[in-house]
Each structure stands twice: as structure tokens, then as C-alpha cells.
Amino acid sequence: MTSRELRQKYLDFFKEKEHAIIPSAPVVPENDPTVLFTTAGMHPLVPFLMGEKHPKGKRLANVQKCVRTVDIDEVGDNRHLTFFEMLGNWSLGDYFKREAIEWSFEFITSEKWLGLDPRRLYVTVFEGDEDAVRDEESIRIWQEQFAKVGIKAEAAGEDRIVNYEKRIIPLGKDDNWWGPAGKTGPCGPCTEMFYDVSPELGKVNDTFGSLVKNFRLMEIWNDVFMEFNKKADATFEKMKQQNVDTGMGLERTLVVLTGKDNVFDTEFFQPIIRRIEELSAKNYSEDESKISMRIVSDHLKAATFMIADGVLPSNVERGYVLRRLIRRAVRQGKILGIEGNFTSKIAEVVISEYKEVYPELGRETEKIIEALNQEEMKFRQTLEKGLKKIKEIIAESRSAEKISGEKAFHLFSTYGFPLELTKEIAREHGIAVDEESYHEHFKKHQELSRTVSAGMFKGGLADAGESAARLHTATHLLLAALRKVLGDHVIQKGSNITGERLRLDFSHEKKMTPEEIQKTEGLVNEAISKDIPVKCEEMTLEDAQKMGAMGVFGEKYGDKVKVYSIFDFSSEICGGPHADATGALGNFRIKKEEASSAGVRRIKAVLE
Ligand code: SER
């Protein structure tokens, strides 16, 4: 079966079940500021899941293009992708569990449709907790489906051992509850379908967790029974209408239909990988090239779709995710030994493969090629600077006989050098790299990023940490600039940073004039344009005060404090993290200046 046939079969099946077919929404959500990308088919439909009438009726089906960056570090294994397509059918207050499960089973197993083997099918259901009961109804409906084809299907016990008889696995909220994590909106228990991709390994008999981790079971479809609304206080209320939201992964389903065991061996990736082979003169079948080629093909496919839907590389929000994807791809290209610009050449293959299904790729070809070329050129210049830096580092590290983990990490975070590249160059110069210490630095950095991005929606900005670090540095510059423009009475009264903007509350009596705002912006942008390094020193609180570092009034500090200084412009006691240098910030703009409370003003600003 081809991808085209699979999309068509799915839509035809649900047309027979009286569903109206609706087009894919863009990967950039149109009316949902809480997410950066459309990570699932539900985003464009949220108002209708909440009760608004959809012009096409109560039963809908579609193929939705999605971008999900939450699994970005997993890309390269057999099934995780940044860009994928989701086949979905929707009930907006119409049918519920019975029809949804019956139709899923029929579509997967009936000879007329996918004709997959029901003996290789395993399903999970919600095990119940204080918010909602165990989903006995779904268990029963699944048992009836399996019974129709002579299969006895029991629910697995607490040990989660799965075998031929126990193929229904009850799991908790982490696995079997779908909906907006950490924010409000429609959600509910779900039931997921997994297919055994390696029956040649003998009878299934292991814990569910191991079977998934070892890639024996591949998730292909998720039916969500959305009957709750998660409220701001994290409680769940029953919604007026019961909805169904299903999502079947197009790429993964083609994997099981074509008897493969990974998404990269399907037609969704093979033409792209062939082109990477040509450009790199390496073979995909060689283990050391495989992962890099998978990452390049996934990331550049996602980048192509993102640019077509209006995203351009930048230092914030969506543009920043795009930038990271392109840069990661360029680095992997370097590891593969590809010389010269190549990202747009890969995009050309993506465009030609997908433009009939997604005509926007054809329409935006010029923009896609140009944006990729520009970003790649810029990044290659940074890499060149990194090459100079690594030569210096090698010279300094001679006596220690190895490059320290800290220096190797600096090459990664500032010049985009992956460890493999640093190791390779070091090897050529007969010197080692302290990998253990590198990984420690890397982990510390990741933990910071995670903490900062913890509040964000699942599937959102994987690198929110770095974006927040830049906004944090911008906050220091802003406070320093305000003191220059308005006077020394200005001190920080509060600060709040999201992945997208900063908010600073500061003491000042009057509304700022347009000239004052302009002057403040100008000072900050001047400091940014000078690309001043952000220096961090540890010292006693006393020393910090002696050097005139600003501290937040009323804050308790330990014996030693960190002082972040930006040359003579700003120095503040602060926990970080910050950008390495102001040049990473981009253009600073004040979006709003308003009263916060008596004698306190509030500024909201962004980096563009
Ligand atoms: N929203 C669910 C998912 O993404 C089903 O479409 O898995």
C-alpha cells in the first residue's frame, strides 16, 4: 500500500460512516496562542469540542499535518518524528466509545480496509484514579471485537504482563489520558492501539513497558473520549457534550502495512535519504551514518513545512524552533561529511514528494529555498568561528592531554559543535576529550531548560530554556537602561518570563513618555549590537554589594552569590541562566508600558 492509498482509504471509510471530510489546518495554529505548533488534530477543533457548532456537522474526518518537538531527542529511533501526519475522526457530541472502538477495529482488521492481523493487535485503556473511573466500558467493547474473530482478550493485571490472552492493558493518566497538559481544555481517557511489528521473535510474553521500549509494539492509533474540561484549578468537570478525538499516525501505520519495522524505511523518507546518500557519498545502511541521515531527513522535512506555513528562522518562539531544527540538521550534515550548503537540496526532494497533497509547498518553494540557504550560510559562519576557537582550545589543552568537558560544552552551546565533531577534530590533533564531564555539563544545561519550560504545553517549545535565558539577559539590560533613562530610583519590583516575552515591574511614579520608551529600547538594542559577553562570577554578598551589583529587594541570598555582569552596562545578583553574549538576543522591543500598582510600572517586551 502507498501513503496516498492509505490517506484515501481512511477518508473513504469514514465517509461511509457519514463523516464530512475537512482539510488540514496549517502547522501554525490560527487561534490558539497557547501552543507554538499544531501538535495534534484537536487544536484547530477546540472550540467545537467545547460546544460551538461546526458548519460541517457533528462527524468529521481529516488528515492533519503536525509538528511536535517534545520528542526531538528521540528522533533517530524507529518511530519518533518532528513532522508527521495524523489521520483523525471526530465526534462532536455525537457517537462515543462503542462506535469509535468498533470502527477502529473494523478499519484496522477488515480485509476490505487495512486487513491487518487482529492477533498482532494490543490495546491500552485507562485504569482509573480519583478523577475518573476505570474504563470498563472500553474493555468490554474491545473484548467483543476480539471475540468476533475468535480471540479471547483479557485485561492484564498489575504486573502488566502482556501475552496472547492478555492483550488489553489498563494504564494510568501518563499513558491513557489525553488533553492539554498543564492547561485548561477538553480532555479525557483514551484507548491506544499497538501492533506487533516483529512476530518472527515468537509469542509475545513480557511487560507492556519492555515491549514498547524494545520496539516490538508500535503505537498506531489513539481514540480519546473527551468528556471532561480541565479547569484552571486542575480539577475536571464533565462537559456538556461527549466527544471523540482519534489520531492514527500515518507514517507508523504505513510501517506496519508494509511489513517494515521503522518509519524511515517507508516511502515517506526513502527518497530524502537517497538524496542525502548522494550528497554525503555515505551509505544509509552503515550504522554510523544511519542516525544522522534520519535526523537530517526528519528535521528538514519539518522545517520545509514550517516555512511554507509562514515561520522564518529567528531567536524567539516558532522561529527559534525552526532555527534549531535547521542547525541540528546542518551539524548532522557536517558529521556526514557533506560539503557546502545542502539543506535547500533536501527541501527540494520534500517539496516534490509532498506538493500534490500539500500544494502550499509548491506555492512557497522560493521562500523555502531562500530561508534555508540564508540560515545555513549564517550558521556555517558561526561554525567557522568555532573551528578557530577549537584550534585555540587544542593548543591550550596540550599539557592536560585532553579538552575539558566545560570547553567541549562551550563549543557546543556557543558555536554549535556537537561532541562528535569536537572529538573528531581533537583526534586529528592527537588529543582526547573529557566526555564524562561534557555529559555532566550537558545534563546540567538540560535540567535548566526543563525547569524553565516546565510550564509549557506538551509538544511546544523544546528549547524554551534557551529562549528564556535570552529574555532573562534582556531583562537585565532593560533594568539598566531604565535606570539610565529615568533615574536611580528605578529598582526591580518583579519579573516574569515565559518562552515568548519578559515582564518587568519597577518602581517609578509616572507613565513613561514615548520618548523615554524609545530611548530605553535604543539603549538595550545598542548593548545587544555590541555583542557584549555576559560574565558570571561567584562572590560573597558583601563583595557583590561593594562592586555595586543590583539585588532584588527583600530577596534572601546564601553566603555566596552569583553576579552576572554585562561589561559596565549592568551587574546584578542573580541565579541565571543567561545568554552567553548579548548578540544572541536579536532585536528588543517594548510592547506595553502600563501601571502595575501604586508607584510601580510594568513593561512587557519581546525579542524579535
Ligand atoms: N489527540 C490525540 C493524539 O494526539 C488523538 O488524536 O494522540
Side-chain angles (χ1 to χ4, degrees), residues 39-42 68 86 90 178 192 219 222-224 226 245-248:
T39 64
M42 75 169 272
R68 246 184 229 189
M86 207 185 257
W90 309 85
W178 218 95
E192 297 189 332
E219 183 201 336
N222 183 15
D223 290 358
V224 187
M226 280 182 173
D245 150 20
T246 95
M248 182 181 219

Side-chain angles (χ1 to χ4, degrees), residues 5-16:
E5 284 162 356
L6 176 53
R7 284 191 198 92
Q8 200 53 51
K9 271 207 167 184
Y10 184 85
L11 297 178
D12 287 347
F13 178 85
F14 283 99
K15 229 188 271 170
E16 274 192 12

Side-chain angles (χ1 to χ4, degrees), residues 10-288:
Y10 184 85
L11 297 178
D12 287 347
F13 178 85
F14 283 99
K15 229 188 271 170
E16 274 192 12
K17 312 284 184 204
E18 293 163 1
H19 286 63
I21 309 303
I22 56 167
S24 172
V27 294
V28 175
E30 279 164 329
N31 297 313
D32 191 347
T34 63
V35 286
L36 291 179
F37 296 103
T38 303
T39 64
M42 75 169 272
H43 296 308
L45 293 170
V46 168
F48 309 105
L49 294 164
M50 298 291 288
E52 204 173 291
K53 270 209 161 52
H54 194 284
K56 294 275 178 129
K58 292 180 171 177
R59 293 184 181 190
L60 311 172
N62 66 354
V63 183
Q64 174 64 48
K65 45 182 181 171
C66 301
V67 168
R68 246 184 229 189
T69 53
V70 70
D71 294 325
I72 195 161
D73 293 325
E74 253 74 54
V75 172
D77 72 6
N78 75 335
R79 62 203 147 155
H80 284 100
L81 295 171
T82 310
F83 173 87
F84 59 91
E85 290 169 82
M86 207 185 257
L87 304 164
N89 57 287
W90 309 85
S91 158
L92 304 173
D94 192 53
Y95 60 86
F96 203 45
K97 295 183 184 176
R98 170 153 298 278
E99 291 87 337
I101 293 177
E102 277 181 3
W103 291 338
S104 288
F105 190 81
E106 181 185 349
F107 184 66
I108 290 176
T109 60
S110 149
E111 283 306 325
K112 182 171 172 207
W113 301 101
L114 301 189
L116 289 166
D117 184 351
R119 281 167 306 186
R120 289 166 65 183
L121 186 64
Y122 297 81
V123 301
T124 60
V125 294
F126 182 54
E127 72 177 359
D129 64 10
E130 65 278 8
D131 297 317
V133 297
R134 178 173 152 116
D135 196 351
E136 297 295 348
E137 192 183 347
S138 293
I139 296 180
R140 218 171 33 248
I141 302 171
W142 276 120
Q143 286 175 328
E144 287 169 28
Q145 308 313 304
F146 283 112
K148 280 189 213 158
V149 291
I151 298 175
K152 183 164 167 265
E154 297 289 342
E158 299 257 302
D159 58 5
R160 304 207 163 134
I161 294 279
V162 178
N163 56 36
Y164 269 29
E165 286 74 43
K166 292 184 182 161
R167 54 177 72 238
I168 302 176
I169 309 103
L171 298 171
K173 265 216 189 73
D174 280 353
D175 297 287
N176 280 74
W177 189 275
W178 218 95
K183 67 160 211 159
T184 55
C187 57
C190 63
T191 174
E192 297 189 332
M193 289 148 260
F194 290 76
Y195 201 68
D196 176 4
V197 290
S198 309
E200 70 282 1
L201 296 177
K203 280 197 167 185
V204 165
N205 191 7
D206 203 343
T207 62
F208 178 73
S210 322
L211 288 163
V212 173
K213 210 166 98 224
N214 301 334
F215 302 142
R216 171 102 193 229
L217 294 184
M218 167 107 79
E219 183 201 336
I220 53 170
W221 202 347
N222 183 15
D223 290 358
V224 187
F225 306 120
M226 280 182 173
E227 54 174 335
F228 295 96
N229 178 31
K230 185 173 179 187
K231 296 197 296 183
D233 61 4
T235 58
F236 298 87
E237 67 180 355
K238 278 237 180 193
M239 286 195 294
K240 271 193 233 91
Q241 70 184 39
Q242 291 182 320
N243 307 294
V244 173
D245 150 20
T246 95
M248 182 181 219
L250 181 71
E251 292 81 357
R252 292 180 180 189
T253 306
L254 199 68
V255 166
V256 306
L257 283 168
T258 50
K260 312 265 194 267
D261 64 5
N262 78 82
V263 286
F264 296 96
D265 280 354
T266 63
E267 62 175 272
F268 291 110
F269 286 96
Q270 281 301 305
I272 309 175
I273 288 174
R274 292 286 91 80
R275 187 76 177 109
I276 302 173
E277 286 187 320
E278 276 167 29
L279 291 165
S280 65
K282 297 244 162 70
N283 273 328
Y284 174 68
S285 54
E286 289 157 11
D287 276 349
E288 71 263 29

Side-chain angles (χ1 to χ4, degrees), residues 204-433:
V204 165
N205 191 7
D206 203 343
T207 62
F208 178 73
S210 322
L211 288 163
V212 173
K213 210 166 98 224
N214 301 334
F215 302 142
R216 171 102 193 229
L217 294 184
M218 167 107 79
E219 183 201 336
I220 53 170
W221 202 347
N222 183 15
D223 290 358
V224 187
F225 306 120
M226 280 182 173
E227 54 174 335
F228 295 96
N229 178 31
K230 185 173 179 187
K231 296 197 296 183
D233 61 4
T235 58
F236 298 87
E237 67 180 355
K238 278 237 180 193
M239 286 195 294
K240 271 193 233 91
Q241 70 184 39
Q242 291 182 320
N243 307 294
V244 173
D245 150 20
T246 95
M248 182 181 219
L250 181 71
E251 292 81 357
R252 292 180 180 189
T253 306
L254 199 68
V255 166
V256 306
L257 283 168
T258 50
K260 312 265 194 267
D261 64 5
N262 78 82
V263 286
F264 296 96
D265 280 354
T266 63
E267 62 175 272
F268 291 110
F269 286 96
Q270 281 301 305
I272 309 175
I273 288 174
R274 292 286 91 80
R275 187 76 177 109
I276 302 173
E277 286 187 320
E278 276 167 29
L279 291 165
S280 65
K282 297 244 162 70
N283 273 328
Y284 174 68
S285 54
E286 289 157 11
D287 276 349
E288 71 263 29
S289 304
K290 190 169 266 170
I291 304 254
S292 296
M293 289 194 189
R294 287 178 170 187
I295 295 174
V296 170
S297 56
D298 167 81
H299 286 14
L300 293 178
K301 190 199 279 190
T304 303
F305 274 90
M306 282 155 74
I307 301 168
D309 279 347
V311 185
L312 287 173
S314 78
N315 274 343
V316 289
E317 295 183 42
R318 300 184 178 105
Y320 185 60
V321 176
L322 174 61
R323 170 161 285 168
R324 293 286 310 210
L325 287 169
I326 299 170
R327 293 186 169 196
R328 280 174 74 122
V330 173
R331 281 193 216 130
Q332 295 297 332
K334 237 183 147 64
I335 292 171
L336 287 166
I338 302 179
E339 299 289 342
N341 278 10
F342 72 98
T343 54
S344 62
K345 294 182 185 146
I346 305 298
E348 279 166 7
V349 185
V350 177
I351 295 167
S352 87
E353 288 294 311
Y354 280 91
K355 71 175 177 210
E356 274 179 50
V357 183
Y358 296 103
E360 61 274 23
L361 296 187
R363 282 197 304 272
E364 302 295 343
T365 299
E366 230 172 276
K367 191 167 92 187
I368 296 167
I369 303 291
E370 163 140 6
L372 285 171
N373 277 336
Q374 273 198 16
E375 182 62 19
E376 185 170 357
M377 234 146 59
K378 245 197 240 164
F379 184 49
R380 281 185 185 280
Q381 283 163 6
T382 311
L383 284 174
E384 285 307 315
K385 282 191 212 147
L387 277 173
K388 283 205 194 103
K389 184 78 193 170
I390 194 171
K391 298 229 164 94
E392 281 170 37
I393 290 180
I394 288 172
E396 289 161 18
S397 310
R398 278 272 170 236
S399 56
E401 287 177 9
K402 62 180 168 192
I403 297 179
S404 73
E406 190 180 354
K407 286 183 176 158
F409 184 72
H410 179 70
L411 281 166
F412 169 73
S413 61
T414 309
Y415 300 98
F417 268 48
L419 180 64
E420 288 73 22
L421 198 62
T422 301
K423 264 165 56 186
E424 199 180 297
I425 300 170
R427 203 168 36 237
E428 282 165 16
H429 290 79
I431 187 165
V433 179

